[in-house]
Every structure is written in structure tokens, then in C-alpha cells.
Amino acid sequence: MHPALSVIIFTSLSGAGYGSLAILAAVKYFDFFTLNPLYGFFSSAISLLIVTVGLISSTTHLGHPRRAWRALSQWRSSWLSREGVFAVLSYLPAGVFCVSFLIPTPFNSIIDIICLLTIAFSLATVFCTAKIYASLKTIRQWNHLLVVPVYLIIGLFDGAIFLVVLLTIIDGLQFFQLNYFIIFLGAVAGLAKILYWWSIDSTQSQSSTSTATGLGSSNKSVSMLDAPTTSETFIMREMGFAIARKHSRRLRLITILTLSIIPIIIIFLMTQPIALVSPLVLGIIAIVFSYFGTIIERWLFFAEAKHVAMLYYGASKV
Amino acid sequence: MTSLPTNQTNKKLGLVIDLDICVGCHACAVNCKEWNAGGHSAPMTDWNTYSGTETKNGEDSGAWGVWFNRVHTFEVGKGQESKTVYFPRSCLHCDEPACVTVCPTGASYKREEDGIVLVNPDTCIGCKLCSWACPYGAREYDETDGVMKKCTLCIDKIYNENLDEIDRIPACVATCPAGARSFGDLGDPNSDVSRLVEDRGGYDLMPELDYRPVNKYLPPREPQINVLDDGQPLSLVSMADNANQTEPSNNSILKWVDTILSR
Ligand code: SF4
Ligand code: SF4
Ligand code: SF4
């Protein structure tokens, strides 16, 4: 599938934004550590901003961005619509959550409910985003059990790194539990991606040029002799993206390094007393790497996905 | 509403395409474009029509545009046994069309009364998700209009009361010079098209995906006689083999010509 930049930016940014909102709300709800109100306000506000930038980016690939509101109507059947609905709904609790840091209320139970709603809507939005892809039977590499967990884990991972960095900036503080949580998430993300790649490499599609045309049999191969047009059709432009095996292997390695291994090491170093580099510098390096890794991971997610319709256009397998 | 209709009638309008008859002339695809360029989903935009954007290094993406029907060519089998099969492909108006259920806006819908799958160009936001959900590559996006387009089963022709009854069939069916395309109600087991499917072993494309397409394809028939068994004519392959082994002729004039020409 053709990797569209706007969609890659949207899924990675919104994942990170919702991830950090969910973690922040969980920290508050379970009282893992005391949140400095200024920190709570800024980190939730910036998370919402990141989410908003992502959502706006996602509308830029639409043919009619100004009709985007219509996408909220078909939540009964469409994961894309559900994603939109949760994205809009999440602004309510997340907005109240954000402001609640500035205006202390005596009603702790209300804040608790707000926290729970923030967690639920944030995770639900990322879940729906992943489901848009995972529910497509036409693309074997997407219609996979690991797609949804990977979207959620990477979102939480990117979000948590962002929270750690803000913590060192605003609070000048570190809560090592958060660092250990990131290390755990990074390791799970890396392992899940390796398992995913192994799985898509070792399974085969049920569909082939033979089933697509109904012309083949065990002793008769079917192959394309002539395309319907001398130039490329919409289908070929949208779905005909193919990445060389050599390149995909290299990018997989880069993904594991930048998304998982390097950030894990840096986040671990932050917990160690080293005088040379400040935790803030370390944290920023970790953000740069993990976000770069996320972009490459998303790009590959598209580039390695093969649509069955390409069987009509000369693909020998999908 | 992109949920599938709950009280769907038994009527399933669709096409039956006979791969034994199709001669690959592309007339159906051209007449489809012709009719629909002024129909329900009009216009059917083309881009770079004269391939005029050729750059210095010779790159040119070629002329391209929106088509609802495309004729592919496949080779079935290899070598002497191989067969060329022309394969027209358009929307199959599936019974389980994920292209419809994924649509976030309700622009894509399946009609209750006859099962035709359509896009409403006034509400489509151009997210292209439906084209991802269609296994058959039947939907094509119109960059200029910013909306998705697809075969309408010529809805504006088959129900058009301004036309004579005989003309109320899809453009592609009407135009096919070989008679490879039939149109009718595949939900009615006694209709001509259903009988045709029954007689000829009509089948679904990619049945493993469970989209349950309404359109059916009829397989090419097996050859009745094998020309090679008959001894005549020699296949090109054996003619070529024999050509290598032919002795130089003993005819002296030919020999002389050969010597002159070989100098
Ligand atoms: S062929 Fe494709 S576009 Fe047509 S109904 Fe089936 S899934 Fe939808
Ligand atoms: S491109 Fe249009 S018809 Fe297709 S899913 Fe999006 S809104 Fe629906
Ligand atoms: S039924 Fe009409 S719209 Fe569909 S392929 Fe035939 S001519 Fe084109």
C-alpha cells in the first residue's frame, strides 16, 4: 500500500498524544506519584495539542476536508467513524482533566471519573484507529492479531517518553517508575514487531491470481499477459507500492534499533547518576529516536502491506 | 446508511461475464466510460490526457483516468497448452460488501430494492477507505472531484423510462459485440442469467474472502479437439524444430543463390 505521509503522521502523533493522556490520567487516578499541577496542566495540554495536530493532518488527505464532520455518522458499522466519534468525545474529559490541574476542586470523586473517562476514550480512539486497518480482509499484513496491540503499545510508549521529558523540564524531577515502565513498553513493542514480521513472512494469503480470476487449477498457472491500460490506474497508484526485500530488512532493523533498543538504553541511562549528560538532553534524544522509529515503523506498515486487488495487475502473490 | 440493509429484497441485479466468449476488444470498457461520463457519477475525469508532462529525463506517468470497467488479459497454463483469456472486471455488487460497511459517512450504500452498490457524490469525503476494502479493485477515486466512483450498474439507464424497454440494459452489456455479457436478476433462480450460471458452472471471484459477489463469471470451455492430435497443422514449435534440421537443398540454382548471398 502506498504510504501516505498525512496518515503516517496522524497515526503516530495521535497515538503518542492519547498514550500520554492515558498514562497521565492513570498516574493521577492511581496516585502513582504526586503530580505537580503545573506539570499536569502543561503535559495534558500539549498532549491534546499533539492529538489535534494529528487529527488535522488526517483530514488533509481527504478529497473534501470540509465534509469531515459527516464521518461521525456511521459508527454502527465503520471503525473509521468510531475513531472519529471517540476522538471528538475524548476532548471533553481530557479538557476537563487538563483544566482541573489549575482549578482545584474539592470533589475528588468527580476527578476520578474524569480520569477514568480520559483513559477509556484515549485508548478507545487508538484502538479504533488500529481496527480500521486490522479489519480489512483485503490486506493480509493488516488483518493480523498483533496490529491492534502494537498500535496501543507504541502509542503508550511514545506518550510515556514525552511525559518523562516534560517531567524533567517542568518539575526538574524524575520518577524512575515511569522510566522502568517505558523500558518495559519498549521491550514489548520491539518483541511484538519481531513476532509480527516473523508471522507475516511465514504465512501465505489464501488468495492468488488463480482464485482472483477463477481460471487456475493445480496444473494450470495464471499470470497477467496484458494490463488493461498502458499507464497506471488509481488502484496501481494506491495499492501497487512494493518495497524490495533488501530494503524492508534494513528498515526493520532500523525500526527495532530506533524504536526500541536505543530509547530503552537512553531511558535507562536517565535513571543512572551520570554527570556528563543531563537527563533532559538524554530525554530529548530518546524522543527523537522513538518518534523517528515510530515513523519508520508506520511507513513499513504501509509499504509491506499487499492488497489482493494487485493480483489483477500482475502481482504473483499478496 | 452504511450498515447493510436489513430488509433486503431477493432481487439481485448483476452481470454474468462469459470468459469463453470475450474477445478482449475493450468495447464494454469504452462504452461504460461513454455512458457514465454523463451519468450518475459524472464526470469521469482523465488526467495528463495527451501525456504532455514528459520531463527532461523522459518520465511521464502517462494518460490516466477514472474507469469503472477494465479488461485484463491473462495467460492460463504454460507453453503449447496455454490459453489467452480476456477478463473484464467491474464492481460485482457484492452481498457482503465491506466497501459499504467501512464507509464513515454513509456515502457508500447498498440499495435495498435491487442490491446495487452506489456512492453518493454529495456526501463522500474522499477518504478512499472503501477502495481499500474492495478486493476486486472496482473503485476508482476521482482526484478532481475528490470523491470515490464506481460502476453504477448503469442505474440511470436500466430504469430510464425515456429509453425503449430494449435499451434498458447496462451500456457494457448493450455494446458487447461478442455477446459475452448478460444482465439480469441473479436473485431469481428462474431468470435467464441464473440459468446461464447454472448451466455453465458460473463462479465467484475470490470466494475465500466471503464478499459473496452477485456478478458471476463463466469459465472458458475446454477445447473439443486437440489440433496436435489431428496432425494438422503442425504447431509452430515443431515447425521451428524441423526448420533447424532441414538439409541444404540439392537444387543447383538455389545452391548458386545461396553461395552468392553468403559471400
Ligand atoms: S466489487 Fe468491490 S466495490 Fe463492488 S460491491 Fe464488491 S466490494 Fe464493493
Ligand atoms: S471515499 Fe467516500 S464512499 Fe469511500 S469510504 Fe470514504 S466517504 Fe465513503
Ligand atoms: S454496468 Fe454500467 S457502470 Fe457498470 S461496468 Fe457496465 S457500463 Fe460500466
Side-chain angles (χ1 to χ4, degrees), chain A residues 74-94:
Chain A
Q74 303 302 311
W75 47 270
R76 282 185 203 83
S77 73
S78 162
W79 284 105
L80 177 51
S81 187
R82 288 173 199 157
E83 178 202 43
V85 170
F86 277 118
V88 170
L89 286 182
S90 68
Y91 277 96
L92 269 171

Side-chain angles (χ1 to χ4, degrees), chain B residues 15 28 31-32 36 68-69 90 151-154 170-173 181:
Chain B
L15 303 175
C28 55
N31 202 30
C32 168
N36 285 289
F68 298 163
N69 186 4
S90 54
C151 158
T152 62
L153 206 64
C154 288
C172 55
V173 175
R181 307 174 74 95

Side-chain angles (χ1 to χ4, degrees), chain A residues 67 78 138 207 213 221 223 231 307, chain B residues 63 75 77 102 124 132 203 208:
Chain A
R67 293 181 187 166
S78 162
T138 45
S207 304
T213 59
S221 61
S223 55
S231 61
H307 196 285
Chain B
E75 183 180 39
V102 299
C124 170
W132 295 3
Y203 60 86
E208 68 277 10

Side-chain angles (χ1 to χ4, degrees), chain B residues 90-94 97-99 117 133-136 138-139 150 211:
Chain B
S90 54
C91 170
L92 309 168
H93 297 279
C94 305
C99 61
V117 174
C134 169
Y136 308 106
R139 292 175 167 243
K150 65 177 288 299
Y211 278 55

